[in-house]
Amino acid sequence: MTLLEACRDAADSVLMPKALLEFKSYLQKQPPPCLAMQRATSNEPEEEEGSERALTEEEIAAAADAWARGAAALPKPWQPQKPVLPVEGMRNVLITSALPYVNNVPHLGNIIGCVLSADTFARYCRLRNWNTLYVCGTDEYGTATETKAVEEGLTPQEICNKYHTIHADIYRWFDISFDCFGRTTTPSQTTIAQDIFQRLLARGFLLQDTVEQLRCEGCQRFLADRFVEGTCPFCSYEEARGDQCDKCGKLINAVELKNPQCKLCRGVPTVKPTQHLFLDLPKLEERLEAWLEQSWATGDWTANARYITRSWIRDGLKPRCITRDLKWGTPVPLDGFRDKVFYVWFDAPIGYLSITANYTDQWERWWKNPQQVELYNFMAKDNVPFHSVIFPCSLLGADDNYTLVNHLIATEYLNYEDGKFSKSRGVGVFGDMAKDTGIPADIWRFYLLYLRPEGQDSAFSWSDLMLKNNSELLNNLGNFINRAGMFVCKFFGGTVPNMVLTPDDKRLLARVTLELRQYHQLLEKVRIREALRCILSISRHGNQYIQVNEPWKRIKGDEKDRQHAGTVTGVAVNMASLLAVMLQPYMPSVSLAIQGQLCIPPDSFVLSHDFTCTLPPGHRVGTVSPLFQKLENDRVEALRRRFGGGQPEDLAVEPQAKQTPSASQPPPAPETLMAPIDSQRLQELTQEVARQGNHVRQLKANKAEKAQIDMEVAKLLELKKQLALAEGKSPEVSVPKGKQKK
């Protein structure tokens, strides 16, 4: 979205046509749910009237009936037992998030790729009264931990303890609602991993072979994959790891690297033979393919997950080594291999089971119960083959009625501005830094979910964060919910008034119901980003509804006008109540604040497919206050510099303080130098934008000539440009790729 479009959205949310006839036309001819949102975030011209979808009389009548049934028609919120266990006859949902490596602090891309996406879906499942268990934890064994321990001069266990606490604190601040956040360095992990190993061994699915492996004579040790780096043999990337290339994504053997180096001493390792154990994937391939066919037919796997899995099995599977010459890991319980440990990608997914076992001794009711349990795995795309091929093969070979993944949800990558996150270079926001920005956790959650890289890579942008906060949250969502609540307090003494629905009100109910059902359809398919647009679309309908009906004027009129003001206020505050529930998976703290301000009954805090009147006449609301604060440009620019890489520590800014550039800092670019804001001129331009916007809409409604419409649209865009300048902002915001104006 460009700055001009954000200005349009901001103006449209508070300055709209006043004729009820126009509002009726608006409601009848709105696009399908979320299409309006797509338009609002696009630089393309609006589509012609013919593409808009009209409501049917059946939809309008059904929406009015559902509204009249009230909160009594809602299902009662489900309160599961503790610990949460599968329940006969209920939908039992088991959710895992890929276990983060304990040796790193997660950045925003890690957070949205795994734990935040899974948390949003878990919260949605609970609102649907599905019996839900969400487990995650730190992956603590393996080379990465040993490497970090060497770097910091600590033991591997000390490293695990230190970073497990860091991870837990970060996820707690982001309000991630794990039922259990555990770790893999536990006796349960050893017991379960060794049991699966023994079952594979007994069934003939393990092979023994001599492996050529890199050995560093300087360190006097065989080098595990992550202790080696070199040039990728496939794409020539010069910083490929010994197990996988981060650039092309291919899995590699360390001995295949060109120009290998030991990461510990930077010596040149040599190839030596050593004995290892392998999972016989070719022997399990037929079972795997039969299971995949069934899982793909009945489950929701993202397109990238299917593609990556197919690419693995297309040319036939090969045996995969499951042991490593390390000290830090689950020991191999077999003579001749007791000095070795399990390879982390054989061992780590078993952490889901062991973490659950530490949560409840009845863990097998989740993990050996495919008849009653639906399993969702959340991860970034680089983790797909381990969850779709290697781990399922381990469980299929173990042949112990294990619960296998039904829905594999993989994201693409989130980048930072024009590059990648880098802790060493100080580029990007990492989990332990977000809190220090002074931006609330729910704002981070909202923006990351708004950007969630579902179909392609996306990029975090400070300027876009500011625009989304100021336009979508402050001017759209927050503006509507605050106005709805304030009207109840100001005009009706804090009590929801009586409502007598007109045909236009019923059309609004039907429009909201369509958005609500689209929200459900999308989230049931785990299309989290798109479902968020439905929430914002409903609040846009609400702002339009309030602005057109003007309850602040009607309350001063005759009895009929006052009654209509009451109806508009009552419908609006019930829309706000619905939004509080829909918003809970995305922004739980904001949702809780709305629930408190409007005194929404706990029994009404559950999701159904119908928009019902949950705050009936006579309901008392509480104290209503703004939900969001504006992000100022100077504050955002300071944060951009702070996290831009190579900056000294003392560049850290106080979140609320304006910064004065020091002599060592470069002066701001010319386009960021802003003249003082002229409030009178700002008000005049705002009114002109509104008038011209109304004029353009009227021309479109009357199907005027395209040339005339284009001319008036050009005038509108010029006015918006002037409005942006008057607000002290630059209208010269980069247009997204593929959307350049001709």
Side-chain angles (χ1 to χ4, degrees), residues 56 64 497 524 677:
T56 67
E524 286 171 4
I677 294 177

Side-chain angles (χ1 to χ4, degrees), residues 208-226:
Q208 182 177 329
D209 200 0
T210 299
V211 175
E212 298 291 310
Q213 192 170 341
L214 293 173
R215 179 178 173 85
C216 178
E217 297 302 333
C219 296
Q220 285 295 297
R221 64 188 294 174
F222 282 100
L223 296 178
D225 298 340
R226 294 212 171 214

Side-chain angles (χ1 to χ4, degrees), residues 442-453:
D442 267 17
I443 305 301
W444 288 108
R445 288 178 62 107
F446 168 83
Y447 185 60
L448 291 174
L449 291 163
Y450 193 101
L451 286 181
R452 187 173 183 266

Side-chain angles (χ1 to χ4, degrees), residues 410-425:
T411 62
E412 301 291 322
Y413 293 139
L414 177 72
N415 296 314
Y416 181 79
E417 296 282 356
D418 296 325
K420 293 184 177 181
F421 291 87
S422 173
K423 188 79 169 180
S424 62
R425 299 197 309 271

Side-chain angles (χ1 to χ4, degrees), residues 238-298:
E238 294 182 355
E239 297 180 12
R241 301 195 311 265
D243 59 346
Q244 188 174 15
C245 176
D246 286 335
K247 183 175 182 181
C248 69
K250 289 186 180 293
L251 295 178
I252 53 182
N253 290 318
V255 294
E256 297 174 336
L257 287 172
K258 300 175 183 177
N259 306 316
Q261 273 193 334
C262 171
K263 291 186 68 174
L264 298 176
C265 70
R266 288 299 167 187
V268 178
T270 56
V271 178
K272 300 284 185 180
T274 180
Q275 287 286 309
H276 280 290
L277 294 167
F278 290 74
L279 181 62
D280 193 350
L281 293 178
K283 197 171 182 179
L284 289 159
E285 189 165 359
E286 187 174 335
R287 297 188 190 193
L288 176 71
E289 289 183 341
W291 166 73
L292 280 172
E293 184 177 346
Q294 182 270 334
S295 186
W296 285 349
T298 58

Side-chain angles (χ1 to χ4, degrees), residues 7 18 50 57 63 109 155 200 261 299 345 406 482 559 579 712 738:
C7 292
K18 299 180 181 179
E57 291 303 319
T155 67
L200 288 167
Q261 273 193 334
W345 271 114
N406 303 96
N482 184 255
E559 180 63 27
L579 287 169
E712 297 302 323

Side-chain angles (χ1 to χ4, degrees), residues 45-49 694-704 709 713:
E46 291 191 6
E47 298 179 25
E48 295 300 318
E49 294 286 328
N694 292 342
H695 181 50
V696 169
R697 279 185 286 274
Q698 189 64 52
L699 288 173
K700 290 183 177 181
N702 294 336
K703 300 190 181 301
I709 294 175
V713 166

